[in-house]
Amino acid sequence: MPVETWRWQKVEDESRWVFAAYNFLEIRTPVLEHTDLFARSVGVDTDIVTKEMYTFQDRDNDLLTLRPEATASVVRAYIEHSLYNEGGVHKLYYMGPMFRRERPQKGRYRQFSQIGAEVLGSDHPAIDAEVLEMLVLLLERLGLKDFALLINSVGCPACRHEYLKKLGQALDNVKGNMCEDCRRRAGTNPLRVFDCKVEADQPIIEKLPHILDYLCPECLQHFESVKAELGQREIKFAIEPRLVRGLDYYTRTTFEITSGALGAQNALLGGGRYDGLSEMLGGPPTPGFGFAIGEDRLVLAVEQAAHFKPEPIAAFIVWMSHEALLPAVTLARELRRQNMSAEILYDAMKMKKSMGLASKFNARFAIIIGENELASGRYQVKDMGTGQQEEVEISRVAAYLSDALKKL
Ligand code: HAM
């Protein structure tokens, strides 16, 4: 609804500004993709792929899915359009609707929007830190204060192999007391046990071994460097060793930012590194790092934290007699052509009602045109903020308004 949309626009405008400041370019990928793309990247044992995707068979028997996230699509497009041939680092951002068949509640919807970004082509830990720095800047510009950054490392396939063996052994002893999903995951993809939301399983999950204790020297060094880079950038964070995220493509750094302004669904955004994803999708080895913000949640958090107001219109034009209508229309057109917003209504009405509408539309100025004004060649310009009224020569009204708006 319009009363909410301006807040969404504000969030999107600030995001675009921040993305431009860090030299990200926009990519627009389709809402529909082949189902196989998500099965291969997000992972066949994840909640997203097993329970939440909107999938259907097309007339030619293709299996298609409404995208549940966009990282897979961005990497697919990167490969399909051979962006890797250009060399260097590609910094891409996107905004748009995603679809997951989850149980709806405040902050969790079946169609939701994400604002996300991906950096392809570098595994430098400074990339991880710089992207987090960018996110902190965005949240601060939106007036958010009560947020926390949680980070972890999920290692690489080499160190994860060792860890998964240990995790599997630990699960063998306890999985009998866990939910059905966890029992299945213990056999197919033990890391996914950490995605479990069943209350009774949480004390068991708390005691499982942590991947951080099994990182190989290279992954440990990468994680140490990310932490040092965050320190240099004065970014506060906490380490959360259970943060493995609900998607299979992650390697090394994973992170989430939670917001105190949200309720149960407090994950404002999440992301991490996915150095093997391009190869998994048939592309050349290409390290990647990115995030997605839940825009619905960001808007909710901004609503709590900041007092944004919609842009007021510059002028509400009031015409008081039939003869004044055409001059009023002419003035409205002139103001709009000179980059000032204006409103004019076409039903005749009393002065009091017109001024009431000028306030309702949050106009900065009301311009009054009646018989006297036409006779004197000077319109009344009323500053709706101060209540002060001035007579301004018709030919100077646009310039007068433009100057006055600059001074506000
Ligand atoms: P994700 O954690 O699945 O990551 O989603 C990112 C954010 O989207 C969440 O933190 C949350 O704010 C929002 N979100 C997820 N599901 C819903 C929902 N049903 N309703 C409302 N908001 C929701 C990803 O999607 C990864 N692609 C992020 C990424 C990019 N990793 C690397 N690059």
Side-chain angles (χ1 to χ4, degrees), residues 48 52 68-72 94 98-102 105 107-114 116-118 245-247 249-250 255-257 262 265-274 289-298:
I48 294 180
E52 297 169 4
E69 62 108 54
T71 309
Y94 51 84
M98 310 290 156
F99 305 84
R100 296 184 194 176
R101 198 179 184 287
E102 296 192 78
Q105 64 179 84
R108 188 166 69 193
Y109 313 104
R110 290 179 171 181
Q111 174 172 341
F112 59 100
S113 270
Q114 284 186 344
E118 314 291 348
R245 317 251 312 117
L247 304 95
Y249 51 60
Y250 289 113
F255 67 93
E256 274 181 13
I257 292 185
L262 299 170
Q265 300 305 316
N266 69 348
L268 195 57
L269 61 93
R273 195 157 264 298
Y274 45 87
F289 183 82
F291 65 85
I293 305 171
E295 188 177 358
D296 310 71
R297 295 182 191 179
L298 182 57

Side-chain angles (χ1 to χ4, degrees), residues 146-260:
D146 185 13
F147 60 85
L149 168 63
L150 308 173
I151 64 166
N152 190 25
S153 172
V154 294
C156 63
C159 40
R160 206 176 303 162
H161 183 71
E162 192 46 39
Y163 168 68
L164 288 179
K165 257 197 327 208
K166 286 280 181 318
L167 182 61
Q169 286 163 5
L171 280 169
D172 279 344
N173 300 326
V174 293
K175 67 182 180 199
N177 301 324
M178 299 182 82
C179 71
E180 204 184 312
D181 274 346
C182 282
R183 266 178 274 162
R184 176 178 50 79
R185 290 161 175 153
T188 55
N189 192 344
L191 207 57
R192 297 277 63 93
V193 164
F194 289 99
D195 303 335
C196 174
K197 310 238 165 32
V198 176
E199 210 49 57
D201 285 3
Q202 299 311 311
I204 303 174
I205 292 168
E206 293 269 334
K207 295 198 193 79
L208 292 171
H210 292 155
I211 189 149
L212 273 185
D213 298 328
Y214 293 85
L215 294 184
C216 63
E218 291 78 16
C219 288
L220 191 59
Q221 178 56 46
H222 193 274
F223 192 48
E224 291 302 322
S225 302
V226 171
K227 289 191 285 183
E229 291 266 356
L230 289 173
Q232 282 167 13
R233 290 158 202 259
E234 297 170 2
I235 296 171
K236 292 199 197 80
F237 60 88
I239 295 168
E240 173 47 75
R242 284 181 305 262
L243 183 71
V244 299
R245 317 251 312 117
L247 304 95
D248 275 354
Y249 51 60
Y250 289 113
T251 54
R252 296 188 165 171
T253 317
T254 52
F255 67 93
E256 274 181 13
I257 292 185
T258 57
S259 162

Side-chain angles (χ1 to χ4, degrees), residues 26-35 37-39 41-42 48-49 52-56 64-74 76 93-101 109-116 247 295:
E26 186 177 3
I27 181 167
R28 297 190 182 187
T29 63
V31 170
L32 274 181
E33 295 273 3
H34 285 283
T35 305
L37 174 68
F38 303 112
S41 55
V42 174
I48 294 180
V49 173
E52 297 169 4
M53 294 203 308
Y54 287 95
T55 297
F56 66 95
L64 302 179
T65 293
L66 282 170
R67 62 180 183 191
E69 62 108 54
T71 309
S73 307
V74 170
R76 179 200 48 70
Y93 80 88
Y94 51 84
M95 302 180 181
M98 310 290 156
F99 305 84
R100 296 184 194 176
R101 198 179 184 287
Y109 313 104
R110 290 179 171 181
Q111 174 172 341
F112 59 100
S113 270
Q114 284 186 344
I115 299 176
L247 304 95
E295 188 177 358

Side-chain angles (χ1 to χ4, degrees), residues 97-151:
M98 310 290 156
F99 305 84
R100 296 184 194 176
R101 198 179 184 287
E102 296 192 78
R103 199 167 46 80
Q105 64 179 84
K106 189 166 188 199
R108 188 166 69 193
Y109 313 104
R110 290 179 171 181
Q111 174 172 341
F112 59 100
S113 270
Q114 284 186 344
I115 299 176
E118 314 291 348
V119 181
L120 297 167
S122 171
D123 65 358
H124 201 295
I127 294 284
D128 309 29
E130 193 188 48
V131 169
L132 290 165
E133 173 197 295
M134 174 172 83
L135 277 167
V136 169
L137 175 64
L138 173 62
L139 299 185
E140 283 175 358
R141 283 178 65 101
L142 289 169
L144 255 66
K145 292 198 175 68
D146 185 13
F147 60 85
L149 168 63
L150 308 173
I151 64 166

